[in-house]
Amino acid sequence: MKIGIDARVFRFSEYTGIPRYTLEVLKCWVRDYPEHEYYLLSAREICIPAGFGRNVHRIIYQRNRLRREKNVWWTAVDDVARKSWYFTELYGTIKALDLDVFWGCNFVLPLRKVPNVRYYVTVYDLAAFRKEGTAEEKNLRRLSALLPRSVSIADGIFSISDSTAKDIAEQFPGARDKIHTVYSGGFLDDMADLAYDTGQVRRELRIGAPFFLFLGTIEPRKNIPTIIKAFEKYLEKTKTDEYLVLAGGMGWKTESVTDALGASVYRERIICPGFVNEEEKKYLLDHTQAFVFPSLYEGFGIPILEAFAYATPVITSRVSSMPEVGGDAAFYIEDPLDADALAEQMIRVRASTRKEREERSRQMQCQVERFTWKACAERMMQVICGDMY
């Protein structure tokens, strides 16, 4: 079987979010289903790790001709054509390559379907439609224009949680029978063997005092001003000399975070190191008192599982998919915007007994083992093969 994949997500070498999801599924497919051929389709050069076998083909599209060289297909195209390629020229490429399946791994499908090719799309969340102010205007316009058409023409829709599947069915009732819940994986197996040298970790991360941690993109959905307010209330109640680390790259609409930091009387106890690499991430998760993640909405919540893998307590919101991922292992607040409740849970984590921590650790491991990339990729392939045959 020939499977085409929207490889535009691999434009950059940082594998986070959707690029990470797509890469992990591809790695499992190549390992567990080597009988298939996988075509990575893009109009720009892509960044993927070395080591994939001969059945993975990079197809870099350029107009009017296809030339193959060392498992890469090339053609000629200008910048204007690159931007419209997915919705115009890709049709011809899929047809020319005689694909059996096309996977739109980033919410949307091409506007036209090639006859006898089965199209699948992954919808990670509907935050743009369900939570006002959690999506950039350009993304909201893009999804509003393209998502209805994509779910309509798709032969199958992959949702990464039951919560998201429910949202899709409510938003697009006609697509209900095509939705397949395929839980995302969480912890990366290669992280277990990753070692860090404490001496190489940045000085501002080597905090002597206990600290709480947020790790993720700084954007409205992550509800960081509430974390700052809760931390202030926590310090006022406990009278301790602890820290808060807000680690992650800057996203969009960060003014509320900047304002909250500037207004905080505990600003000197809040560390903002920006983007952290995998070694630094592991160091922080190994040493923090708890991972604080009161997100307003998540399609799945991989960071919760990453924290669980290090037996790190997680405080999160009981909304959208978070209860599915956190199970009985997480500490919850009912209202993501309730800073008082978040502060109380921070105090609760700090006061946990050894027996309570051991029980939580056991529950965390159960959640990590439940959501694996192997199971995710296997279920997707079962759906695709079941539909094909």
Side-chain angles (χ1 to χ4, degrees), residues 20-71:
R20 170 57 68 184
Y21 180 96
T22 308
L23 179 64
E24 293 305 317
V25 169
L26 177 63
K27 285 163 59 177
C28 291
W29 278 355
V30 171
R31 182 192 65 214
D32 299 335
Y33 303 95
E35 66 274 21
H36 302 312
E37 300 288 320
Y38 304 97
Y39 295 81
L40 305 183
L41 311 174
S42 177
R44 299 178 186 273
E45 184 55 87
I46 60 176
C47 301
I48 59 171
F52 283 111
R54 294 183 177 180
N55 61 338
V56 176
H57 312 278
R58 289 184 299 152
I59 301 175
I60 313 303
Y61 179 78
Q62 298 179 342
R63 181 171 289 172
N64 297 331
R65 59 191 175 85
L66 283 172
R67 175 171 60 84
R68 186 171 184 175
E69 179 181 342
K70 295 182 179 179
N71 243 36

Side-chain angles (χ1 to χ4, degrees), residues 274-294:
F275 180 80
V276 294
N277 61 35
E278 294 300 328
E279 290 81 4
E280 292 168 336
K281 177 195 293 188
K282 184 169 185 178
Y283 177 89
L284 289 169
L285 288 170
D286 267 346
H287 289 80
T288 186
Q289 291 202 106
F291 176 56
V292 185
F293 194 66

Side-chain angles (χ1 to χ4, degrees), residues 6 45 60 63 67 112 127 129 163 173 221 273 286 289 311 315 389:
D6 177 8
E45 184 55 87
I60 313 303
R63 181 171 289 172
R67 175 171 60 84
R112 298 172 59 202
F129 300 98
S163 172
R221 186 202 304 212
D286 267 346
Q289 291 202 106
I315 306 171
Y389 306 112

Side-chain angles (χ1 to χ4, degrees), residues 214-218 222 224 247-249 291 293 303:
F214 165 81
L215 183 62
T217 302
I218 309 300
K222 303 306 181 183
I224 295 170
F291 176 56
F293 194 66

Side-chain angles (χ1 to χ4, degrees), residues 44-193:
R44 299 178 186 273
E45 184 55 87
I46 60 176
C47 301
I48 59 171
F52 283 111
R54 294 183 177 180
N55 61 338
V56 176
H57 312 278
R58 289 184 299 152
I59 301 175
I60 313 303
Y61 179 78
Q62 298 179 342
R63 181 171 289 172
N64 297 331
R65 59 191 175 85
L66 283 172
R67 175 171 60 84
R68 186 171 184 175
E69 179 181 342
K70 295 182 179 179
N71 243 36
V72 182
W73 295 71
W74 300 87
T75 59
V77 72
D78 56 30
D79 286 339
V80 174
R82 282 194 184 99
K83 293 179 181 178
S84 62
W85 159 82
Y86 189 73
F87 302 105
T88 56
E89 307 290 351
L90 180 56
Y91 177 93
T93 303
I94 292 174
K95 190 174 182 179
L97 293 172
D98 194 25
L99 299 182
D100 299 295
V101 169
F102 178 78
W103 175 31
C105 58
N106 191 13
F107 285 97
V108 297
L109 290 171
L111 297 179
R112 298 172 59 202
K113 284 186 64 176
V114 177
N116 301 318
V117 178
R118 298 195 65 83
Y119 283 58
Y120 295 86
V121 64
T122 297
V123 178
Y124 300 88
D125 64 67
L126 290 184
F129 300 98
R130 311 291 289 192
K131 281 289 182 181
E132 185 177 355
T134 59
E136 290 185 83
E137 186 62 31
K138 64 178 182 181
N139 285 334
L140 179 58
R141 290 196 302 269
R142 168 178 170 268
L143 291 178
S144 296
L146 300 173
L147 191 54
R149 169 71 175 171
S150 296
V151 299
S152 174
I153 68 173
D155 294 286
I157 302 165
F158 295 126
S159 163
I160 61 174
S161 68
D162 283 336
S163 172
T164 296
K166 180 175 179 290
D167 288 347
I168 298 170
E170 290 179 356
Q171 190 76 25
F172 307 104
R176 187 182 301 271
D177 294 339
K178 298 189 289 186
I179 302 170
H180 304 272
T181 295
V182 181
Y183 280 119
S184 170
F187 184 66
L188 303 177
D189 292 337
D190 53 3
M191 284 292 290
D193 300 323

Side-chain angles (χ1 to χ4, degrees), residues 11 14-16 22 45 55 82 97 136 159 184 204 211 219 229 243-244 253 294 296 322 324 326 370 382:
R11 183 177 175 185
E14 292 180 359
Y15 305 114
T16 60
T22 308
E45 184 55 87
N55 61 338
R82 282 194 184 99
L97 293 172
E136 290 185 83
S159 163
S184 170
E204 68 265 35
F211 65 92
E219 61 181 5
K229 292 177 185 177
Y243 287 82
L244 171 65
K253 205 173 181 179
L296 299 176
M322 270 82 84
E324 292 180 68
R370 180 185 177 193
Q382 287 173 347

